[in-house]
Amino acid sequence: MSSILSDAVIDQLFRTARTQNGWTSEPVTDAQLKALYDIYKMGPTSGNCQPARVIFVRSAEGKARLLPAMSPGNQEKTKAAPVTAIIGYDLEFYEHLPRLFPHNPAMKDNFAGPGKEGAAQAAAFRNGSLQGAYLMIAARAIGLDVGAMSGFDAAKVDAEFWAGTKVKTNFICNIGHGDPAKVMGRLPRFDFDEINKIV
Amino acid sequence: MSSILSDAVIDQLFRTARTQNGWTSEPVTDAQLKALYDIYKMGPTSGNCQPARVIFVRSAEGKARLLPAMSPGNQEKTKAAPVTAIIGYDLEFYEHLPRLFPHNPAMKDNFAGPGKEGAAQAAAFRNGSLQGAYLMIAARAIGLDVGAMSGFDAAKVDAEFWAGTKVKTNFICNIGHGDPAKVMGRLPRFDFDEINKIV
């Protein structure tokens, strides 16, 4: 039986958690990244397709490859972040479905082959985005902060990091311990009734 | 300072939480749906764009409109679920950016007008999917179970529920208290090194 989690937990995951723009020097270890993956991999995807692919950029060499593709306003914080996750989605995710969804081998046929490219793109992008959200929430669950970014040249990132694959960059997310002094003011949210209905 | 959340919390959100296929008769109240929204609305979206729009289908009349659009395998569980959330994304989300992202009125220009349809579609689908993931994790945080589905006729759902808007259905998710007897066996996940790198 699930319980209602404490306010402190929900604050840490959603309510007081904030997108970070500055970072302390405290590192993020391999063990933390693997612990992070072991949590977010459990989030649901349709047909268990798991299309997200992630490159965690931590070295100075890796950052030097990435920074020229970031928008000017995102370069300094990306350089300062202990880790920058390039979150991609694999357009050929369906090749793994016979293993990931073994009770229904026909699942692959929904996405493989001529005329199925649109279905594969939509499933990869939708489920890869769900997994990106799971990654951010899981990072907060293990005491890390995140700062997601859409301001980058996707074609450049794809060429530099995903060459020779069918993976496309979805979004990029700094991970570490945030500097509270660089957090922006909280922006407004819609009221429930403006955008939702109960019917 | 964030802490590492307890194993029990992470289990409830990710590790022992399971996609549900059967439901008890315990209802989901308006207050629970509004509490759910007040949590997941705080999850980050790019430019604070918040493109997700949700119709929570709870009445018999609402279910009767939805069920013919569900795949045969999803009809019985959708009928039994206390609430079924139709999670859509608004292709005209950018109309709200001057209010949601007031310090940068030019943000709207990235998505509004001729030639920007692809950018608007990608941002709406990516961020609407992130918000769908936040919804599922937030539901688990308040002691509810979820069961997301991609098996439905999106054109039929769009026509029935989003007519006269620019909202498109993303995915559909049952919400309530799951029947543990109807949970499937856990499916495999990739190992870290198969799909991720640290560089």
Side-chain angles (χ1 to χ4, degrees):
Chain A
M1 192 73 190
S2 290
S3 57
I4 299 178
L5 298 180
S6 72
D7 276 340
V9 164
I10 296 173
D11 284 350
Q12 177 170 329
L13 297 174
F14 286 101
R15 288 188 299 227
T16 58
R18 300 298 313 281
T19 292
Q20 300 293 327
N21 300 298
W23 302 93
T24 75
S25 59
E26 187 176 347
V28 173
T29 65
D30 280 24
Q32 284 176 301
L33 294 176
K34 289 176 181 177
L36 172 62
Y37 177 67
D38 281 338
I39 297 170
Y40 79 73
K41 73 180 182 185
M42 303 315 289
T45 53
S46 63
N48 195 36
C49 64
Q50 302 171 63
R53 307 288 181 263
V54 179
I55 298 175
F56 296 98
V57 181
R58 192 172 54 185
S59 66
E61 295 74 17
K63 290 290 185 75
R65 293 167 58 200
L66 177 59
L67 287 175
M70 301 304 294
S71 303
N74 286 333
Q75 291 186 357
E76 184 181 333
K77 55 189 170 186
T78 299
K79 187 174 181 184
V83 169
T84 303
I86 303 172
I87 297 161
Y89 54 90
D90 188 350
L91 292 172
E92 289 185 341
F93 71 90
Y94 51 77
E95 296 292 353
H96 302 277
L97 287 177
R99 168 183 161 204
L100 299 176
F101 204 67
H103 54 292
N104 182 3
M107 182 64 83
K108 178 178 173 180
D109 303 332
N110 294 326
F111 307 107
K116 307 290 178 64
E117 295 84 356
Q121 158 72 30
F125 192 30
R126 174 185 301 111
N127 288 284
S129 298
L130 295 180
Q131 291 185 284
Y134 302 148
L135 182 157
M136 292 192 281
I137 301 298
R140 290 171 171 177
I142 61 169
L144 296 170
D145 293 307
V146 294
M149 300 172 288
S150 286
F152 57 86
D153 182 327
K156 275 192 193 173
V157 179
D158 289 352
E160 183 63 34
F161 288 93
W162 303 116
T165 76
K166 290 285 190 174
V167 180
K168 300 295 175 192
T169 303
N170 188 348
F171 67 98
I172 294 179
C173 185
N174 288 322
I175 304 175
H177 295 88
D179 173 1
K182 295 197 177 162
V183 171
M184 309 290 191
R186 184 59 110 173
L187 290 166
R189 297 301 193 271
F190 286 113
D191 293 332
F192 183 95
D193 292 329
E194 290 181 279
I195 57 168
N196 305 301
K197 283 193 290 194
I198 302 174
V199 301
Chain B
M1 191 72 190
S2 291
S3 57
I4 299 179
L5 298 180
S6 71
D7 276 340
V9 164
I10 296 173
D11 284 350
Q12 178 170 330
L13 297 174
F14 286 101
R15 287 189 300 226
T16 58
R18 300 299 312 281
T19 292
Q20 301 293 327
N21 300 299
W23 302 94
T24 75
S25 59
E26 188 175 347
V28 173
T29 65
D30 280 23
Q32 283 176 302
L33 294 176
K34 289 176 181 178
L36 173 63
Y37 177 68
D38 281 339
I39 296 170
Y40 79 73
K41 74 180 181 185
M42 302 315 288
T45 53
S46 64
N48 194 36
C49 64
Q50 303 171 63
R53 306 287 181 262
V54 180
I55 298 176
F56 296 98
V57 181
R58 193 172 54 185
S59 65
E61 295 73 18
K63 291 290 185 75
R65 293 167 58 200
L66 177 59
L67 287 175
M70 302 304 294
S71 303
N74 286 333
Q75 291 186 358
E76 184 181 333
K77 54 189 171 186
T78 299
K79 187 174 182 183
V83 169
T84 303
I86 303 172
I87 298 162
Y89 54 90
D90 188 350
L91 292 172
E92 289 185 342
F93 70 90
Y94 51 77
E95 296 292 354
H96 303 277
L97 287 177
R99 169 183 160 204
L100 299 176
F101 204 67
H103 54 291
N104 182 4
M107 182 64 83
K108 179 178 173 180
D109 303 332
N110 294 326
F111 306 107
K116 306 290 179 65
E117 295 85 355
Q121 158 72 29
F125 192 30
R126 173 185 301 112
N127 288 285
S129 298
L130 295 180
Q131 290 185 284
Y134 303 148
L135 181 156
M136 291 192 281
I137 301 298
R140 290 172 171 177
I142 61 169
L144 297 170
D145 293 307
V146 295
M149 300 172 287
S150 286
F152 56 87
D153 182 328
K156 275 192 192 172
V157 179
D158 289 353
E160 183 64 33
F161 287 93
W162 303 116
T165 75
K166 290 284 191 176
V167 180
K168 300 294 174 191
T169 303
N170 188 349
F171 67 99
I172 294 179
C173 186
N174 288 322
I175 304 175
H177 293 88
D179 174 0
K182 295 196 177 164
V183 171
M184 309 290 192
R186 183 60 109 172
L187 290 167
R189 297 300 194 269
F190 286 113
D191 293 332
F192 183 94
D193 292 329
E194 289 182 279
I195 57 167
N196 305 300
K197 284 194 290 193
I198 303 173
V199 302

